[in-house]
Amino acid sequence: MTLTDKDALIRLGAGEPMDKVAAAAGMKADAFRDWFSRQATARVADTAGSKKAKLSGDVEIIRDRWGVPHIYGSTDDAVFFGYGYAMAQDRLFQLDYYRRRAMGTLSEVLGPSGLELDTVARTIGFNRLSRLTVKKLPPQTHKRLQCFSDGINAVIEQSKDKLPIEFALLDYKPAPWTPQDSVAVWKEFQWYLTGRMPVIAIPELAKRTLGDGPLYKLFLKGEADNESIIPPGSYEPRRTWEEPVGEVISDPNEGIGSNNWVVAPSRSASGAAMVASDPHIAFGAANCWYEAHFSGGAFNAVGSGYVGVPGILFGRNDRIAWGITNNICSQRDLYAEKTDAAHTGHFLYDGKWEKAKEIVEEIKVKGGQTVKKSVKYSRNGPIVDEILPAPLRKMGPVTIKWLGASISDEITSMLAFNQSKTASEARGTLKGWFVPTLSFVFADREGHIGYKCSGRLPIRDGWDRAFRPGWDPAHQWKGVTPFERMPELSDPTNGWIRTANNRTAPEDFPYPLGGTWSSGHRAMRIRQMLEEQEKFTREDFARMQRDVLSIRAVECVPGIVRLLEHHPDPKIKAAVKCLKSWDSRMEPDRVAASIFDIFFQKWCEAIAAERFTPDSVMVMAGAAGGIAVELLAGDKLGWFSKRKYEDAVSGSMLEAIAFLEGKFGKDMDNWNWGNLHRLKLAHLLSGRGSLGELLDRGGDPCHGNGTTVCNTGFDPNYMAALGANYRINADLAEDPPGLWSADSSGTSGNPGSKNYCDQSQTWLSGKHKYIPIDRKRVEAGAEAKLTIKGTA
C-alpha cells in the first residue's frame, strides 16, 4: 500500500469515497474490500483464555456458537464486572456512540453531521438529568453500575491498539465509562420511547387548520381503537374526570412498537404458562438490545436488555418469564408559551411575566468551530421549536413538560424484577418504575400470569392531544397516578393477556391515562389467533410472531375494489383484479401487497394535501392512517373539496402504479413485496461516505409491514428499517429452563466477527435458537471460555 493502514482508515472515516481511497492505496476494489475485512477481523476481542483484572472475585464468560455470553461471577461485583466486560467486547463502539448521543457529544467525532442529535440531547438535557440522577441512586445500584463500568474500562485498557475498527475510522479513543454514562443512555432511551413530540404537535397543526369541529375529530380517528388490553367491565366505573382515558391518532413512528402475550397453563399444551415478546425498534447491523445470561448471587437470568445498561428487559430466570411493550400513555405535554415584545426574555404565567431561565450549551464540532446553543426554559420546560420536524416549527414558542425530566430509578427496579421468583413479586418490583410507561406481561412456574402498566402518569384537568396554554395555571399537572391505580390484570378467566401498543383500557377505566396509542390492528390480530385455538405450543408462538395478515388491508381492500373496479383505466383494472384475489398477507411473493401498501401511502398523502400546506403534507400524511381507513368507506363529512373524492382515490392508485412501474418496469410479476420490502441492517456509520458498502449487511426480502404482527415497519423507500428485531418465547414447563430467542442481527457489533449479523437468516425464517441457563447445558454448548481472575 502507498497509504498506511491508519491513513486509509481515517480517509474512509472522513467520508472519502472508497474507490478514491483504494486508488490512493494502489488497490482494486475487491482487494481493498479484503484488506478492510482483515483490518476489522484483527480488532475482534479475544473471547477465550485467561486474564487478570482489578475486581473482587472471579468471572467466567462462556460463549455459545452465536457468541451469546453466559456470565458467571463468584460475587455480585464480579457478575456486573463480567457483564460490562462482555458487552464491551461485543459492542464497544456502539456503547460509545450511545453515550455520545445521550451526552450530546457526537459532533466531537462525527463533525457537523452529529449536530442534529446533539441539539436534541442538549435541549432536553440528558447530560444534566443523568448527573443529578446518578447522585440519588441507592448505594447497591451505584456499586453495580460502577462494577459494570469497571468491566467496560478493563476492555478499553486491554484493547489499546486493538480497538474496534470504527475508532480507527473516526481517529479517536473512547474515554473511560462511568455510572453516569449508563444513566444518561437510559435517559435518552426513555426519551426515545416517550418524547415523540409530533404526536402532539401534529394534532395542534390539524386543529389550527381544520378548527375544532368534525373534520378535526375525523383526522384524529384511530384504527381499531376499541381493541384494549384491559377488557371492558374490569374496573368499577368510579369516574372523577370527564375526559376520555385516551384517544388514538396514527403515530408517524407507527412501526416503532412491540408485541407481547402470555397464556395460562390451561391454554398451554405443556401445562405451564408461556410468554412471548418481540420489541419493535430500528433494525441495525447491531441492534439496541444486548443478549446475555448472567448468573451469580441472586441472579440467574437470560434475555436482552438495552446496550449500555445491565439488566434484562425481555427474558426469564429459573422461576418467571416476562416481556414488555411500550404502553404509549402520555408522559409529556407541549405548551404554547405567550411572549411580548415589551417583556423580552419573559413568559406569561397567571397574569404575570416570569423571567425565562437560560442554559448555554457548548458543542464541540470536529473540523469546525464550537457551536453555542442557548436553551431557554419556561416553568414548563425547555423551548423545543428547533427540534420539532421542520413543518411544525412555526407554531412557537413551544415548551415541553416531560416526566422523564424528574429523577427516577428504573435500573434498580429492573434488576429486582430480574431476581423475582413469582408473578406477584415481579409486579411489586415495578413500584419504583416511573418512565417510560411499559406494558409488562409475566408468568411464573406456579402457573400465575399477569399484566402491569408500569410507570406514572401526570394527572391533568382535561386531556387534549394539542398544545396546552402555558400561561394558564389550570393546565399545570396536579400530581401523578399512584402505582396501585395503574392498570393491571391477574390470572384473567380467558387464560391470556396480550399487548401491542394498543389502547390500555376502555372508557370505563376510572383514571385518566392520556393515551396516544398506535393502531389496534396488531392487537386485534393477536387476539384473533389466541381465540382460534384452545392450547398453544412454543412453535405456535413462533408462528404467531411471524404472522403477516394485514387487518388494515382486510378492512380497506373491499372499499378500494368498490370504488375502483369499474374505473375505465386498464392499469387500475389490473391492479384491482390483483387486489380482489389477494389474501391480505404481506408475504414477499405477493404483488397485491406492494400495490396496497403503496396505494395506502399515496392515499394518505392525497388526504393530507387536500387540507394542509404543501410543506406539511408528508408529516401530516404519516399521521393519517385512521382517517385514510375511514374515508375509504365514503366521504360523508366532505373532507375533499378541492377535487372530487373519487378522483383522489383513483389518482392515488395511479401514483402507486407509476411508482411500481418506475422501480420495476411494467411487468406486474416483478412488483412482488419481497422485491420492494427488504431487511436493512445498517451500521451506525452507514451514511458516512462509502462506509455503508463496507459495514452494512442485509438486503434480503422481508415479510410483514408496520401493521402486521410480524412488524417490519415503514420506510420512505419501503425498506424494513425498523420492526420486531428481537423475539423470545419461554415455556415455563421446561426443566432445566431455557429461553428461545431470535435476533435480527447478532451478538457482536464488530464487523470482523463471525457473530456480526449471523442470526439474520434464522430470524428471517422465523426460527429461534435455544439459550440454556443450566450450567451443564451451557458448558455442553460452549465454543469459547474466558476466565478473569480478580486481583483486588
Side-chain angles (χ1 to χ4, degrees), residues 495-514:
W496 56 263
I497 304 166
R498 63 82 179 87
T499 86
N501 317 120
N502 54 310
R503 171 180 280 274
T504 301
E507 290 300 327
D508 63 0
F509 189 75
Y511 303 102
L513 300 179

Side-chain angles (χ1 to χ4, degrees), residues 116 139 239 242 288 314 425 482-483 490 578 585 597 631 729 743 748 786-787:
E116 185 175 353
R239 299 305 298 274
E242 293 301 321
C288 65
F314 320 85
E425 183 183 351
F483 171 78
S490 294
C578 188
R585 295 185 179 275
D597 208 74
L631 285 176
N729 288 321
D743 189 321
S748 179
L786 177 66
T787 301

